[in-house]
């Protein structure tokens, strides 16, 4: 076989191995014994690595001056390739039946693999291999061919992959060798970065790089090094030490020539503290919760602008038309679009209103999902996730067809997003409109159907002053007259930019309302601070410098997420706690302190609320893209956090000294291919940059536990782990406090997880019910457990009697618990839980007593059997489904004194008549009824002086078909703001219209009730 024929043969085998790891094969072997599955996966990966090396070595050697590969070496390569082909052929016939009923099949595979233990460069051919590379070095000066960068890159990638695999097996290294290997690893990644650049003297540099890679190839595949790895000889006795040091010196010399650097950065040995930059003269005054602008944004100077945009939306051409809103960063384009989008005249004019945020880096499928789900009618986003982009485009087109629609594309940077999606927007000549917000007038001018851009301009001096003072004092409190002039002076220096104004207002809100204090601040805020080409950045720097120490770290942490991402507040606060940002105060929950931090950042206008929780507080939040860019740059500069995007950044990154955190946004495949090695990291967060259907499926994560042993935070929700069971090696992450994984087939968690004694948050997104071991009761610091489809927690039979129960005293969140016969016994073990989701509850005796859970605030409960229930009195939110609570026993719920949100879904209540008790629901604000079969809903005494539902603000009726009567009190509740009717019968719609008329009769023009009907 010639070398060219061998290369073609290797290509064919690699393609076969790739086919083995496709979804069909994964589906076949995923349910087999984990040890066999893991072994097969490891063998496939090992084969791919060896064949890839051979594929890169032959062109490299020829390019470096070897005309013909020696026959003995080529024959050895043929043996490796043929053995690989045989093994891949055997695996292609793998199936579940043979794996379970014919163990000899696997034994034959393992036996075949032992033949492949002949190394890619074995002992008996190593001297020939070395002579080839050495000869290449000596002949290089005579070789006149131009260096092929692709060949150099491929060979270097193979060497890096080999080193990475060796570094992952750290237990077999002696300390002296490990340090040298890490330095060589860093040096090869530096060469990789040079090969990516195009510059003068490229041929000369490639010649030198080729020589260095030849030296590295001799060492990395040396027999002595292999024996050291296998523990046969000590490194100090090896003659390779001298060559190793020479190679590192040569790479260092080359780097000095290229970059002027004095050293190749070696990996640090010391651990890192979780630190934020030191600050001076910072304000630690916390804002009162009364000043937190959560309910709505304060808007100034936008009324006229909004009126102009609304006129363009409602009038004009019947053709579909795009209305671009254009202006520089920080002018309030998104704020204006929101104001228009939520205007009642707009929502009444259009049949459908949809919204998406595009951003500079966007994923087309995510954009489509945003649009389709933004109207709230697709409550389960998962139902759309499995569709590809073409199916989603068709679904969107069908949704919009024959309807007058309004769709907002916020923060558009590239016309590409519109060009790819415009076929989804039908032109039915009914006055449909599309809004673009963009910094670029070029984007606005390129769109099909585009109208004249609506340009936003800076605020006037009067508007600037009004916005600043309203942000400092709120809309109800007046600014003291003595401070009014100073406020105007400060506002003038913000050049009419709303973002700069609100950020500066956030600083002022923390200062005493004293003339001397404000004068000093006004003097420090020179006009140059927030003028010129980067006004907002200067105001952000000012605001950042005035933050107290703990809030600086919390703000910079937003850079770990994706631009414009709506971040779950609970998740964010758990991460802050795990990172050590939140002060531990005796007698106070860390979650409460973290929430105060978040509210403080919101009050300073640095963080914005996307959605609020139904029982108060923030559900999701985000930061302006300018603040995001500031945080990303500041975090990198202060070595607080490094953000890597895409393969180019991943593949050339070397861990900096004292870098504690790394955030990666790429495809999972690029993450694995980059062979990243950063053993000193304290936090690793991965966000997938690909569409859901193309999410990388990782077969083996053992390398993570070998490399990243110092982690406090590990978030891998962006990679789909194709595992049935969490590997027991997780026990090596002894410092771990936060663990989040996605593994759609994972069912079992090993008992060794209890060795993670510091773990506080565990999140697992699996499509299976997950079984937790009884050793979990030893994890006393555990605070939050989330499992998407449900979790079963084993209860040890050794605990007899309440006094002997092992408990999780700090567990505050448990979702979603599958509760069976040991129900009440298990609930006694989580005495301080605050948020509890119980699904598929089957107690066996038909009784579930939760009255002992005094801290419980939010409960979601579903059951397959009707049960006797009792609730704790402190609950604020209750969601029931399929529990079959008789209407006559609804008093159990009505008498809860602090209940604010009640959801009764799918057979949660049985009976034909629900009679409200007097003085029930004293604090209820939101009531949802879905698929309940009540026919008559009334008060116990309609004529009594007591007002039923005294605080009700929102009533949601979904899929209600039999209701014939509603309580008379609904027509007279002054607080009632919204009634939403979705997929209900005509009788229910008539009842709601009657309530609307009664409200008008009682309150006339002052009625605030909004009726929303969704068919």
């Amino acid at each position: 076989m010639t070398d060219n024929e061998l290369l073609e043969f290797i290509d064919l085998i690699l393609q076969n191995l790739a086919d083995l790891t496709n979804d069909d094969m994964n589906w076949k072997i995923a349910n087999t014994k984990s040890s066999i599955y893991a072994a097969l996966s490891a063998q496939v990966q090992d084969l791919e690595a060896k064949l890839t090396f051979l594929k890169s070595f032959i062109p490299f050697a020829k390019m470096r001056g070897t005309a013909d590969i020696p026959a003995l070496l080529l024959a050895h390569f043929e043996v490796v390739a043929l053995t690989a082909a045989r093994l891949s052929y055997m695996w292609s016939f793998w199936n579940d039946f043979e794996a379970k009923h014919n163990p000899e099949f696997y034994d034959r595979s393992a036996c075949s693999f032992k033949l492949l233990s002949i190394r890619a460069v074995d002992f008996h051919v190593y001297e020939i291999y070395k002579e080839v590379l050495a000869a290449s070095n000596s002949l290089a000066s005579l070789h006149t061919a131009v260096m092929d960068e692709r060949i150099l890159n491929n060979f270097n990638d193979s060497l890096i992959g080999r080193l990475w695999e060796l570094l992952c097996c750290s237990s077999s290294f002696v300390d002296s060798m490990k340090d040298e290997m890490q330095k060589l690893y860093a040096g090869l990644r530096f060469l990789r970065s040079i090969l990516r650049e195009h510059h003068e003297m490229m041929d000369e540099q490639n010649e030198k790089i080729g020589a260095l890679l030849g030296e590295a190839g001799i060492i990395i595949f040396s027999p002595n090094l292999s024996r050291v790895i296998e523990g046969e000889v000590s490194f100090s006795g090896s003659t390779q030490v001298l060559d190793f040091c020479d190679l590192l010196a040569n790479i260092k010399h080359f780097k000095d020539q290229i970059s002027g650097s004095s050293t190749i950065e070696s990996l640090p040995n010391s651990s890192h503290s979780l630190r934020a930059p030191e600050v001076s003269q910072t304000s630690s005054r916390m804002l009162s919760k009364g000043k937190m602008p959560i309910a709505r944004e304060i808007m100034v100077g936008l009324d006229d602008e909004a009126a102009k945009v609304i006129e363009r939306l409602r009038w004009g051409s019947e053709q579909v038309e795009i209305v671009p809103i254009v202006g520089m960063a920080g002018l309030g384009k998104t704020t204006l679009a929101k104001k228009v989008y939520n205007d009642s005249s707009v929502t009444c004019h259009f049949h459908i209103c949809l919204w998406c945020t595009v951003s500079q880096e966007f994923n087309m499928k995510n954009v489509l999902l945003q649009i389709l789900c933004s109207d709230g009618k697709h409550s389960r986003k998962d139902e759309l996730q499995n569709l590809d982009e073409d199916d989603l485009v068709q679904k969107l087109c069908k949704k919009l067809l024959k309807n007058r629609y309004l769709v907002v594309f916020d923060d558009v940077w590239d016309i590409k997003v519109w060009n790819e999606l415009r076929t989804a927007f039908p032109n039915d000549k009914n006055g449909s409109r599309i809004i673009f917000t963009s910094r670029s007038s070029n984007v606005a001018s390129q769109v099909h159907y585009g109208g004249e851009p609506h340009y936003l301009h800076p605020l006037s001096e009067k508007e600037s002053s009004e916005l600043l003072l309203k942000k400092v004092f709120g809309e109800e409190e007046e600014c003291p007259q003595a401070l009014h002039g100073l406020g105007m002076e400060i506002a003038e220096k913000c050049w009419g930019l709303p973002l700069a104004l609100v950020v500066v207002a956030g600083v002022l809100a923390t200062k005493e309302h004293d003339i001397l204090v404000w004068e000093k601040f006004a003097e420090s805020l020179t006009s140059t601070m927030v003028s010129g080409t980067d006004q907002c950045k200067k105001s952000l720097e000012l605001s950042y410098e005035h933050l107290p120490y703990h809030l600086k770290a919390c703000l910079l942490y937003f850079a770990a997420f994706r631009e414009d991402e709506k971040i779950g507040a609970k998740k964010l606060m758990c991460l802050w706690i795990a990172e050590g940002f939140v002060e531990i105060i005796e007698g106070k929950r860390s979650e409460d302190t973290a929430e105060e931090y978040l509210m403080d950042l919101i009050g300073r206008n640095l963080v914005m609320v996307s959605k609020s929780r139904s029982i108060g507080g923030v559900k999701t939040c985000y930061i302006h893209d300018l603040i995001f860019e500031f945080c990303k740059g500041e975090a990198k500069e202060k070595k607080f956090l490094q953000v890597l995007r895409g393969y180019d950044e991943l593949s050339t990154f070397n861990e900096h000294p004292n870098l504690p955190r790394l955030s990666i946004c790429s495809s999972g495949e690029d993450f694995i291919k980059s062979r990243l090695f950063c053993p000193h990291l304290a936090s690793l967060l991965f966000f997938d940059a690909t569409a859901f259907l193309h999410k990388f499926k990782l077969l083996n994560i053992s390398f993570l536990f070998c490399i990243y042993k110092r982690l406090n935070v590990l978030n891998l929700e962006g990679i789909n782990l194709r595992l049935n069971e969490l590997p027991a090696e997780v026990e090596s992450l002894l410092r771990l406090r936060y663990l989040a994984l996605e593994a759609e087939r994972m069912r079992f968690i090993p008992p060794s997880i209890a060795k993670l004694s510091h773990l506080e948050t565990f999140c697992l997104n699996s499509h299976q019910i997950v079984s937790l071991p009884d050793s979990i009761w030893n994890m006393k610091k555990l605070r939050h457990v989330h499992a998407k489809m449900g979790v079963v927690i084993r209860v040890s039979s050794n605990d007899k009697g309440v006094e002997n129960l092992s408990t999780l005293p700090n567990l505050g969140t448990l979702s979603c618990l599958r509760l069976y016969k040991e129900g009440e016994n298990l609930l006694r073990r989580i005495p301080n839980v605050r948020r509890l989701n119980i699904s598929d509850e089957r107690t066996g005796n038909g009784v579930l007593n939760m009255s002992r859970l005094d801290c419980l605030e939010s409960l979601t409960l579903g059951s397959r059997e009707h049960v006797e229930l009792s609730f704790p009195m402190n609950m604020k939110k209750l969601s029931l489904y399929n529990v079959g609570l008789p209407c006559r026993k609804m008093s159990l719920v009505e008498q809860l004194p602090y209940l604010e949100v009640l959801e009764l879904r799918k057979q949660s209540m049985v009976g034909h008549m629900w009679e409200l008790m007097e003085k029930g629901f004293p604090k209820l604000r939101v009531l949802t009824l879905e698929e309940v079969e009540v026919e008559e809903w009334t008060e116990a005494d309609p004529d009594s002086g007591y007002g039923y539902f005294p605080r009700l603000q929102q009533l949601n009726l979904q899929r209600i078909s039999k209701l014939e009567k509603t309580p008379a009190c609904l027509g007279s509740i002054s607080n009632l703001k919204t009634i939403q009717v979705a997929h209900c019968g005509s009788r229910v719609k008539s009842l709601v219209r009657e309530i609307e008329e009664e409200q008008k009769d009682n309150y006339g023009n002052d009625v605030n009730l909004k009726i929303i009907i969704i068919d």
Side-chain angles (χ1 to χ4, degrees), residues 747-758:
R747 293 186 178 92
F748 304 105
I749 306 298
S752 58
I753 196 173
K755 293 184 179 181
L756 307 183
S757 58
H758 298 286

Side-chain angles (χ1 to χ4, degrees), residues 185 189 192-193 196 361 632 636 642-656 662-666 670-671 674-676 678:
Y185 168 86
R189 289 180 72 89
R192 177 190 268 171
S193 66
R196 300 280 170 84
E361 296 179 2
K632 193 165 70 168
K636 182 178 180 180
Q642 177 77 41
V643 180
L644 300 179
R645 299 286 187 263
Y647 180 71
D648 286 344
E649 292 185 14
L650 274 170
S651 60
T652 57
F653 175 75
N654 275 322
E655 183 184 33
H656 304 312
L662 189 61
S663 173
I664 297 171
C665 184
S666 77
D670 284 344
F671 173 53
S674 69
R675 296 296 191 257
L676 201 64
C678 302

Side-chain angles (χ1 to χ4, degrees), residues 185-250:
Y185 168 86
L188 292 179
R189 289 180 72 89
F190 168 73
L191 297 181
R192 177 190 268 171
S193 66
I194 296 301
L195 286 168
R196 300 280 170 84
E197 299 173 1
H198 297 284
H199 45 73
E200 296 181 5
M201 309 293 290
M202 186 165 42
D203 290 347
E204 180 182 342
Q205 287 186 5
N206 287 349
E207 184 75 25
K208 293 177 180 178
I209 291 173
L212 291 171
L213 294 181
E215 291 183 60
I218 290 173
I219 291 175
I220 290 173
F221 286 93
S222 68
N224 282 336
L225 182 56
S226 297
R227 290 191 179 109
V228 170
I229 294 167
E230 296 164 6
E232 295 180 14
V233 297
S234 67
F235 185 73
S236 59
S238 171
T239 59
Q240 294 294 325
V241 175
L242 185 61
D243 293 337
F244 212 114
C245 295
D246 287 346
L247 173 58
L248 291 176
N250 291 338

